[in-house]
Amino acid sequence: MDHIVTVQDAVTAFADYMEPTDAELAAIEREMPVILADVDLLDAQIITLDRVPTELDNRRLRRARRRALAARLAVANPTAAATVPGGAA
């Protein structure tokens, strides 16, 4: 008869190298505005899946797309993102 034993140590044991590094955590933190903007865009798209979008839904989608693009611009080029909203100065 074979005994079934647990392999708890093998499953739950994590080595130090399996944790995210400080650089990886910093990269996630820098990209968090993009992630949140994409979540908002997905929420707006999910709302309109089972119905014909109203004018309010269309505005919500446009706003969410603009926020997602602005967040991507800010992450891709932080100096350009700082000058975009300011105007001609």
Side-chain angles (χ1 to χ4, degrees):
M1 171 187 271
D2 291 327
H3 294 285
I4 299 174
V5 295
T6 62
V7 287
Q8 189 72 22
D9 290 335
V11 173
T12 59
F14 288 101
D16 292 336
Y17 64 87
M18 294 184 76
E19 294 293 323
T21 64
D22 290 338
E24 291 170 334
L25 290 174
I28 292 170
E29 190 66 32
R30 274 193 314 273
E31 293 178 9
M32 190 54 69
V34 175
I35 294 167
L36 295 175
D38 285 343
V39 168
D40 289 340
L41 178 58
L42 283 172
D43 286 343
Q45 291 171 336
I46 288 169
I47 288 172
T48 61
L49 282 178
D50 61 344
R51 64 178 185 196
V52 176
T54 63
E55 183 59 32
L56 180 64
D57 293 331
N58 288 331
R59 279 188 262 160
R60 184 178 295 128
L61 282 167
R62 283 194 303 269
R63 260 194 322 267
R65 282 188 192 111
R66 282 196 303 268
R67 269 187 253 130
L69 289 173
R72 287 187 181 120
L73 174 66
V75 168
N77 192 0
T79 57
T83 61
V84 169

Short mmCIF file of all heavy atoms in Angstrom, two decimals, residues 10-65:
data_model
loop_
_atom_site.label_atom_id
_atom_site.label_comp_id
_atom_site.label_asym_id
_atom_site.label_seq_id
_atom_site.Cartn_x
_atom_site.Cartn_y
_atom_site.Cartn_z
N ALA A 10 7.43 21.75 -0.07
CA ALA A 10 7.78 21.98 -1.47
C ALA A 10 6.81 22.95 -2.14
O ALA A 10 7.20 23.71 -3.02
CB ALA A 10 7.80 20.66 -2.23
N VAL A 11 5.57 22.96 -1.71
CA VAL A 11 4.57 23.83 -2.33
C VAL A 11 4.64 25.24 -1.79
O VAL A 11 4.56 26.22 -2.53
CB VAL A 11 3.15 23.24 -2.12
CG1 VAL A 11 2.09 24.21 -2.60
CG2 VAL A 11 3.02 21.91 -2.82
N THR A 12 4.80 25.38 -0.49
CA THR A 12 4.73 26.70 0.11
C THR A 12 6.08 27.35 0.36
O THR A 12 6.13 28.50 0.77
CB THR A 12 3.97 26.63 1.46
OG1 THR A 12 4.66 25.72 2.31
CG2 THR A 12 2.55 26.19 1.25
N ALA A 13 7.14 26.65 0.13
CA ALA A 13 8.46 27.23 0.38
C ALA A 13 8.82 28.19 -0.74
O ALA A 13 8.75 27.85 -1.92
CB ALA A 13 9.50 26.13 0.49
N PHE A 14 9.18 29.39 -0.37
CA PHE A 14 9.60 30.39 -1.34
C PHE A 14 11.02 30.80 -1.04
O PHE A 14 11.36 31.11 0.10
CB PHE A 14 8.69 31.63 -1.30
CG PHE A 14 7.34 31.38 -1.86
CD1 PHE A 14 6.26 31.17 -1.02
CD2 PHE A 14 7.12 31.36 -3.22
CE1 PHE A 14 5.00 30.95 -1.53
CE2 PHE A 14 5.87 31.13 -3.75
CZ PHE A 14 4.81 30.92 -2.90
N ALA A 15 11.81 30.82 -2.04
CA ALA A 15 13.17 31.28 -1.88
C ALA A 15 13.20 32.80 -2.02
O ALA A 15 12.27 33.42 -2.53
CB ALA A 15 14.06 30.63 -2.92
N ASP A 16 14.28 33.41 -1.57
CA ASP A 16 14.39 34.87 -1.65
C ASP A 16 14.31 35.38 -3.08
O ASP A 16 13.80 36.46 -3.34
CB ASP A 16 15.71 35.32 -1.01
CG ASP A 16 15.71 35.10 0.49
OD1 ASP A 16 14.61 35.04 1.07
OD2 ASP A 16 16.80 35.00 1.07
N TYR A 17 14.84 34.61 -4.01
CA TYR A 17 14.86 35.06 -5.40
C TYR A 17 13.48 35.04 -6.05
O TYR A 17 13.29 35.58 -7.13
CB TYR A 17 15.84 34.24 -6.23
CG TYR A 17 15.47 32.77 -6.33
CD1 TYR A 17 14.62 32.33 -7.32
CD2 TYR A 17 15.99 31.84 -5.44
CE1 TYR A 17 14.28 30.99 -7.42
CE2 TYR A 17 15.65 30.51 -5.53
CZ TYR A 17 14.80 30.09 -6.52
OH TYR A 17 14.46 28.76 -6.61
N MET A 18 12.48 34.46 -5.43
CA MET A 18 11.14 34.40 -6.01
C MET A 18 10.32 35.65 -5.69
O MET A 18 9.28 35.87 -6.28
CB MET A 18 10.41 33.14 -5.54
CG MET A 18 11.06 31.88 -6.06
SD MET A 18 10.16 30.41 -5.61
CE MET A 18 8.81 30.50 -6.76
N GLU A 19 10.77 36.47 -4.76
CA GLU A 19 10.09 37.71 -4.43
C GLU A 19 10.45 38.76 -5.47
O GLU A 19 11.54 38.75 -6.03
CB GLU A 19 10.52 38.20 -3.04
CG GLU A 19 10.07 37.28 -1.92
CD GLU A 19 8.56 37.28 -1.74
OE1 GLU A 19 7.93 38.34 -1.91
OE2 GLU A 19 8.01 36.21 -1.46
N PRO A 20 9.55 39.71 -5.73
CA PRO A 20 9.90 40.77 -6.67
C PRO A 20 11.01 41.65 -6.10
O PRO A 20 11.04 41.93 -4.91
CB PRO A 20 8.60 41.56 -6.85
CG PRO A 20 7.72 41.15 -5.75
CD PRO A 20 8.18 39.83 -5.24
N THR A 21 11.87 42.07 -6.98
CA THR A 21 12.96 42.93 -6.55
C THR A 21 12.45 44.36 -6.38
O THR A 21 11.34 44.70 -6.78
CB THR A 21 14.10 42.93 -7.59
OG1 THR A 21 13.59 43.49 -8.81
CG2 THR A 21 14.63 41.53 -7.83
N ASP A 22 13.28 45.21 -5.79
CA ASP A 22 12.91 46.61 -5.62
C ASP A 22 12.70 47.28 -6.98
O ASP A 22 11.80 48.12 -7.13
CB ASP A 22 13.98 47.35 -4.82
CG ASP A 22 14.01 46.91 -3.37
OD1 ASP A 22 12.99 46.38 -2.88
OD2 ASP A 22 15.05 47.11 -2.72
N ALA A 23 13.51 46.92 -7.95
CA ALA A 23 13.36 47.50 -9.29
C ALA A 23 12.03 47.08 -9.93
O ALA A 23 11.36 47.89 -10.57
CB ALA A 23 14.53 47.07 -10.17
N GLU A 24 11.65 45.83 -9.74
CA GLU A 24 10.37 45.36 -10.29
C GLU A 24 9.19 46.05 -9.60
O GLU A 24 8.22 46.43 -10.25
CB GLU A 24 10.26 43.84 -10.15
CG GLU A 24 11.22 43.08 -11.04
CD GLU A 24 11.28 41.60 -10.71
OE1 GLU A 24 11.01 41.20 -9.56
OE2 GLU A 24 11.61 40.84 -11.65
N LEU A 25 9.28 46.21 -8.29
CA LEU A 25 8.22 46.90 -7.57
C LEU A 25 8.13 48.37 -7.99
O LEU A 25 7.04 48.92 -8.11
CB LEU A 25 8.45 46.78 -6.06
CG LEU A 25 8.25 45.40 -5.47
CD1 LEU A 25 8.66 45.39 -4.00
CD2 LEU A 25 6.82 44.94 -5.62
N ALA A 26 9.27 48.99 -8.23
CA ALA A 26 9.28 50.37 -8.70
C ALA A 26 8.67 50.49 -10.09
O ALA A 26 7.93 51.43 -10.38
CB ALA A 26 10.71 50.92 -8.69
N ALA A 27 8.94 49.51 -10.95
CA ALA A 27 8.35 49.52 -12.30
C ALA A 27 6.84 49.35 -12.23
O ALA A 27 6.10 50.02 -12.96
CB ALA A 27 8.96 48.41 -13.14
N ILE A 28 6.37 48.50 -11.35
CA ILE A 28 4.92 48.33 -11.18
C ILE A 28 4.31 49.62 -10.66
O ILE A 28 3.24 50.04 -11.12
CB ILE A 28 4.63 47.15 -10.22
CG1 ILE A 28 5.03 45.83 -10.87
CG2 ILE A 28 3.16 47.12 -9.82
CD1 ILE A 28 5.03 44.65 -9.92
N GLU A 29 4.97 50.26 -9.72
CA GLU A 29 4.46 51.52 -9.17
C GLU A 29 4.40 52.61 -10.24
O GLU A 29 3.45 53.39 -10.29
CB GLU A 29 5.36 51.97 -8.01
CG GLU A 29 4.81 53.12 -7.23
CD GLU A 29 3.52 52.77 -6.48
OE1 GLU A 29 3.35 51.61 -6.08
OE2 GLU A 29 2.69 53.67 -6.31
N ARG A 30 5.41 52.67 -11.12
CA ARG A 30 5.40 53.65 -12.21
C ARG A 30 4.27 53.38 -13.18
O ARG A 30 3.70 54.31 -13.75
CB ARG A 30 6.73 53.61 -12.97
CG ARG A 30 7.81 54.46 -12.39
CD ARG A 30 8.98 54.61 -13.34
NE ARG A 30 9.43 53.37 -13.96
CZ ARG A 30 10.31 52.53 -13.45
NH1 ARG A 30 10.85 52.79 -12.27
NH2 ARG A 30 10.67 51.44 -14.08
N GLU A 31 3.94 52.11 -13.41
CA GLU A 31 2.91 51.76 -14.38
C GLU A 31 1.51 51.68 -13.77
O GLU A 31 0.54 51.43 -14.49
CB GLU A 31 3.25 50.42 -15.03
CG GLU A 31 4.49 50.48 -15.89
CD GLU A 31 4.85 49.14 -16.50
OE1 GLU A 31 4.04 48.20 -16.40
OE2 GLU A 31 5.93 49.05 -17.09
N MET A 32 1.37 51.91 -12.48
CA MET A 32 0.07 51.80 -11.83
C MET A 32 -0.98 52.75 -12.42
O MET A 32 -2.13 52.34 -12.59
CB MET A 32 0.22 52.02 -10.32
CG MET A 32 -1.03 51.67 -9.55
SD MET A 32 -1.67 49.99 -9.86
CE MET A 32 -0.43 49.00 -9.10
N PRO A 33 -0.67 54.00 -12.78
CA PRO A 33 -1.69 54.84 -13.41
C PRO A 33 -2.22 54.24 -14.72
O PRO A 33 -3.41 54.33 -15.02
CB PRO A 33 -0.98 56.16 -13.67
CG PRO A 33 0.13 56.19 -12.69
CD PRO A 33 0.55 54.76 -12.50
N VAL A 34 -1.35 53.59 -15.49
CA VAL A 34 -1.78 52.94 -16.73
C VAL A 34 -2.69 51.77 -16.42
O VAL A 34 -3.74 51.59 -17.06
CB VAL A 34 -0.56 52.48 -17.56
CG1 VAL A 34 -1.00 51.69 -18.79
CG2 VAL A 34 0.30 53.66 -17.96
N ILE A 35 -2.33 50.99 -15.43
CA ILE A 35 -3.13 49.83 -15.05
C ILE A 35 -4.51 50.27 -14.59
O ILE A 35 -5.54 49.72 -15.02
CB ILE A 35 -2.41 49.02 -13.95
CG1 ILE A 35 -1.11 48.41 -14.51
CG2 ILE A 35 -3.32 47.94 -13.38
CD1 ILE A 35 -0.18 47.87 -13.45
N LEU A 36 -4.58 51.30 -13.75
CA LEU A 36 -5.86 51.78 -13.26
C LEU A 36 -6.71 52.39 -14.37
O LEU A 36 -7.93 52.21 -14.40
CB LEU A 36 -5.64 52.78 -12.13
CG LEU A 36 -5.00 52.20 -10.86
CD1 LEU A 36 -4.70 53.31 -9.86
CD2 LEU A 36 -5.87 51.13 -10.25
N ALA A 37 -6.06 53.11 -15.29
CA ALA A 37 -6.80 53.69 -16.41
C ALA A 37 -7.34 52.59 -17.32
O ALA A 37 -8.47 52.69 -17.83
CB ALA A 37 -5.91 54.64 -17.20
N ASP A 38 -6.58 51.53 -17.53
CA ASP A 38 -7.06 50.41 -18.33
C ASP A 38 -8.22 49.68 -17.64
O ASP A 38 -9.15 49.23 -18.31
CB ASP A 38 -5.93 49.42 -18.61
CG ASP A 38 -4.96 49.93 -19.67
OD1 ASP A 38 -5.33 50.87 -20.41
OD2 ASP A 38 -3.85 49.39 -19.76
N VAL A 39 -8.17 49.60 -16.33
CA VAL A 39 -9.28 48.99 -15.59
C VAL A 39 -10.55 49.84 -15.76
O VAL A 39 -11.64 49.30 -15.98
CB VAL A 39 -8.92 48.81 -14.10
CG1 VAL A 39 -10.14 48.46 -13.27
CG2 VAL A 39 -7.86 47.74 -13.95
N ASP A 40 -10.41 51.15 -15.69
CA ASP A 40 -11.56 52.03 -15.90
C ASP A 40 -12.12 51.88 -17.32
O ASP A 40 -13.34 51.87 -17.52
CB ASP A 40 -11.19 53.49 -15.67
CG ASP A 40 -10.95 53.78 -14.20
OD1 ASP A 40 -11.43 52.99 -13.35
OD2 ASP A 40 -10.29 54.80 -13.91
N LEU A 41 -11.23 51.76 -18.29
CA LEU A 41 -11.68 51.56 -19.67
C LEU A 41 -12.41 50.23 -19.81
O LEU A 41 -13.47 50.16 -20.46
CB LEU A 41 -10.48 51.62 -20.63
CG LEU A 41 -10.78 51.37 -22.11
CD1 LEU A 41 -11.80 52.35 -22.65
CD2 LEU A 41 -9.50 51.42 -22.92
N LEU A 42 -11.89 49.19 -19.22
CA LEU A 42 -12.57 47.89 -19.26
C LEU A 42 -13.93 47.95 -18.58
O LEU A 42 -14.91 47.37 -19.07
CB LEU A 42 -11.70 46.81 -18.61
CG LEU A 42 -10.55 46.30 -19.46
CD1 LEU A 42 -9.67 45.39 -18.62
CD2 LEU A 42 -11.06 45.57 -20.68
N ASP A 43 -14.02 48.66 -17.47
CA ASP A 43 -15.30 48.81 -16.79
C ASP A 43 -16.32 49.50 -17.71
O ASP A 43 -17.48 49.09 -17.79
CB ASP A 43 -15.15 49.62 -15.50
CG ASP A 43 -14.50 48.82 -14.40
OD1 ASP A 43 -14.46 47.57 -14.50
OD2 ASP A 43 -14.03 49.45 -13.43
N ALA A 44 -15.88 50.55 -18.39
CA ALA A 44 -16.78 51.27 -19.30
C ALA A 44 -17.20 50.37 -20.46
O ALA A 44 -18.35 50.43 -20.91
CB ALA A 44 -16.09 52.53 -19.81
N GLN A 45 -16.29 49.55 -20.95
CA GLN A 45 -16.63 48.65 -22.05
C GLN A 45 -17.57 47.54 -21.59
O GLN A 45 -18.49 47.16 -22.32
CB GLN A 45 -15.37 48.06 -22.65
CG GLN A 45 -14.53 49.07 -23.40
CD GLN A 45 -13.18 48.53 -23.82
OE1 GLN A 45 -12.65 47.60 -23.21
NE2 GLN A 45 -12.59 49.15 -24.84
N ILE A 46 -17.36 47.03 -20.39
CA ILE A 46 -18.21 45.95 -19.87
C ILE A 46 -19.64 46.45 -19.69
O ILE A 46 -20.60 45.71 -19.94
CB ILE A 46 -17.62 45.40 -18.56
CG1 ILE A 46 -16.36 44.59 -18.87
CG2 ILE A 46 -18.64 44.56 -17.80
CD1 ILE A 46 -15.55 44.21 -17.64
N ILE A 47 -19.80 47.69 -19.25
CA ILE A 47 -21.14 48.25 -19.05
C ILE A 47 -21.95 48.21 -20.33
O ILE A 47 -23.15 47.97 -20.31
CB ILE A 47 -21.03 49.69 -18.51
CG1 ILE A 47 -20.55 49.66 -17.07
CG2 ILE A 47 -22.36 50.42 -18.61
CD1 ILE A 47 -20.23 51.02 -16.50
N THR A 48 -21.29 48.41 -21.47
CA THR A 48 -22.02 48.50 -22.73
C THR A 48 -22.13 47.17 -23.48
O THR A 48 -22.63 47.14 -24.59
CB THR A 48 -21.32 49.51 -23.66
OG1 THR A 48 -20.00 49.06 -23.93
CG2 THR A 48 -21.29 50.89 -23.04
N LEU A 49 -21.68 46.07 -22.87
CA LEU A 49 -21.70 44.79 -23.58
C LEU A 49 -23.10 44.29 -23.88
O LEU A 49 -23.36 43.77 -24.97
CB LEU A 49 -20.94 43.73 -22.78
CG LEU A 49 -19.43 43.78 -22.86
CD1 LEU A 49 -18.83 42.70 -21.98
CD2 LEU A 49 -18.95 43.62 -24.28
N ASP A 50 -24.00 44.41 -22.95
CA ASP A 50 -25.31 43.77 -23.11
C ASP A 50 -26.42 44.74 -23.48
O ASP A 50 -27.60 44.43 -23.36
CB ASP A 50 -25.69 43.01 -21.83
CG ASP A 50 -25.79 43.91 -20.63
OD1 ASP A 50 -25.30 45.05 -20.70
OD2 ASP A 50 -26.36 43.47 -19.62
N ARG A 51 -26.06 45.93 -23.93
CA ARG A 51 -27.09 46.90 -24.33
C ARG A 51 -26.52 47.84 -25.38
O ARG A 51 -25.32 47.91 -25.61
CB ARG A 51 -27.58 47.69 -23.13
CG ARG A 51 -26.50 48.54 -22.51
CD ARG A 51 -27.02 49.34 -21.35
NE ARG A 51 -25.98 50.23 -20.86
CZ ARG A 51 -26.00 50.82 -19.72
NH1 ARG A 51 -27.03 50.63 -18.92
NH2 ARG A 51 -25.02 51.60 -19.34
N VAL A 52 -27.41 48.57 -25.99
CA VAL A 52 -26.99 49.58 -26.95
C VAL A 52 -26.46 50.77 -26.14
O VAL A 52 -27.14 51.26 -25.23
CB VAL A 52 -28.18 50.03 -27.82
CG1 VAL A 52 -27.77 51.16 -28.75
CG2 VAL A 52 -28.71 48.84 -28.61
N PRO A 53 -25.24 51.22 -26.44
CA PRO A 53 -24.66 52.31 -25.65
C PRO A 53 -25.47 53.61 -25.80
O PRO A 53 -25.86 54.00 -26.90
CB PRO A 53 -23.27 52.49 -26.23
CG PRO A 53 -22.99 51.26 -27.01
CD PRO A 53 -24.30 50.70 -27.42
N THR A 54 -25.71 54.25 -24.69
CA THR A 54 -26.38 55.55 -24.69
C THR A 54 -25.33 56.63 -24.91
O THR A 54 -24.12 56.36 -24.96
CB THR A 54 -27.08 55.79 -23.35
OG1 THR A 54 -26.08 55.83 -22.32
CG2 THR A 54 -28.10 54.70 -23.05
N GLU A 55 -25.77 57.88 -25.01
CA GLU A 55 -24.84 58.98 -25.16
C GLU A 55 -23.92 59.09 -23.94
O GLU A 55 -22.73 59.37 -24.07
CB GLU A 55 -25.59 60.30 -25.37
CG GLU A 55 -24.67 61.48 -25.61
CD GLU A 55 -23.76 61.33 -26.81
OE1 GLU A 55 -24.16 60.68 -27.80
OE2 GLU A 55 -22.63 61.85 -26.76
N LEU A 56 -24.47 58.84 -22.77
CA LEU A 56 -23.66 58.85 -21.55
C LEU A 56 -22.59 57.75 -21.60
O LEU A 56 -21.44 57.97 -21.21
CB LEU A 56 -24.54 58.68 -20.33
CG LEU A 56 -23.83 58.67 -18.98
CD1 LEU A 56 -23.16 60.01 -18.72
CD2 LEU A 56 -24.82 58.34 -17.88
N ASP A 57 -22.98 56.57 -22.07
CA ASP A 57 -22.01 55.48 -22.21
C ASP A 57 -20.90 55.85 -23.19
O ASP A 57 -19.73 55.56 -22.94
CB ASP A 57 -22.71 54.20 -22.68
CG ASP A 57 -23.65 53.64 -21.64
OD1 ASP A 57 -23.43 53.84 -20.44
OD2 ASP A 57 -24.64 52.98 -22.05
N ASN A 58 -21.27 56.47 -24.29
CA ASN A 58 -20.27 56.88 -25.28
C ASN A 58 -19.30 57.90 -24.69
O ASN A 58 -18.09 57.81 -24.93
CB ASN A 58 -20.94 57.44 -26.52
CG ASN A 58 -21.61 56.36 -27.34
OD1 ASN A 58 -21.19 55.22 -27.33
ND2 ASN A 58 -22.67 56.72 -28.03
N ARG A 59 -19.82 58.85 -23.91
CA ARG A 59 -18.94 59.82 -23.27
C ARG A 59 -18.02 59.15 -22.27
O ARG A 59 -16.84 59.49 -22.16
CB ARG A 59 -19.77 60.92 -22.58
CG ARG A 59 -20.24 61.97 -23.56
CD ARG A 59 -20.87 63.11 -22.82
NE ARG A 59 -22.31 62.87 -22.87
CZ ARG A 59 -23.20 63.39 -22.05
NH1 ARG A 59 -22.82 64.17 -21.07
NH2 ARG A 59 -24.48 63.13 -22.21
N ARG A 60 -18.58 58.21 -21.51
CA ARG A 60 -17.77 57.49 -20.52
C ARG A 60 -16.64 56.72 -21.22
O ARG A 60 -15.51 56.70 -20.75
CB ARG A 60 -18.66 56.53 -19.74
CG ARG A 60 -17.94 55.82 -18.63
CD ARG A 60 -18.87 54.92 -17.85
NE ARG A 60 -19.88 55.67 -17.16
CZ ARG A 60 -21.19 55.43 -17.24
NH1 ARG A 60 -21.65 54.46 -17.99
NH2 ARG A 60 -22.04 56.16 -16.57
N LEU A 61 -16.96 56.09 -22.35
CA LEU A 61 -15.94 55.36 -23.11
C LEU A 61 -14.86 56.30 -23.65
O LEU A 61 -13.66 56.00 -23.56
CB LEU A 61 -16.57 54.59 -24.26
CG LEU A 61 -17.27 53.29 -23.90
CD1 LEU A 61 -18.12 52.80 -25.06
CD2 LEU A 61 -16.25 52.24 -23.52
N ARG A 62 -15.28 57.44 -24.19
CA ARG A 62 -14.29 58.40 -24.72
C ARG A 62 -13.39 58.92 -23.62
O ARG A 62 -12.17 59.03 -23.79
CB ARG A 62 -15.00 59.56 -25.43
CG ARG A 62 -15.53 59.21 -26.80
CD ARG A 62 -15.92 60.46 -27.57
NE ARG A 62 -16.90 61.28 -26.88
CZ ARG A 62 -18.23 61.18 -27.01
NH1 ARG A 62 -18.73 60.29 -27.82
NH2 ARG A 62 -19.03 61.99 -26.35
N ARG A 63 -13.97 59.26 -22.48
CA ARG A 63 -13.18 59.75 -21.35
C ARG A 63 -12.19 58.69 -20.88
O ARG A 63 -11.03 58.99 -20.60
CB ARG A 63 -14.11 60.13 -20.19
CG ARG A 63 -14.38 61.59 -20.08
CD ARG A 63 -15.01 61.97 -18.76
NE ARG A 63 -15.98 61.02 -18.24
CZ ARG A 63 -17.29 61.09 -18.45
NH1 ARG A 63 -17.80 62.05 -19.17
NH2 ARG A 63 -18.10 60.19 -17.93
N ALA A 64 -12.65 57.45 -20.78
CA ALA A 64 -11.78 56.37 -20.33
C ALA A 64 -10.65 56.13 -21.33
O ALA A 64 -9.51 55.88 -20.93
CB ALA A 64 -12.60 55.10 -20.12
N ARG A 65 -10.95 56.20 -22.62
CA ARG A 65 -9.89 56.03 -23.63
C ARG A 65 -8.87 57.16 -23.53
O ARG A 65 -7.66 56.92 -23.61
CB ARG A 65 -10.50 56.02 -25.03
CG ARG A 65 -11.14 54.73 -25.40
CD ARG A 65 -11.55 54.70 -26.87
NE ARG A 65 -12.41 53.58 -27.11
CZ ARG A 65 -13.71 53.66 -27.40
NH1 ARG A 65 -14.28 54.84 -27.53
NH2 ARG A 65 -14.42 52.58 -27.59
#
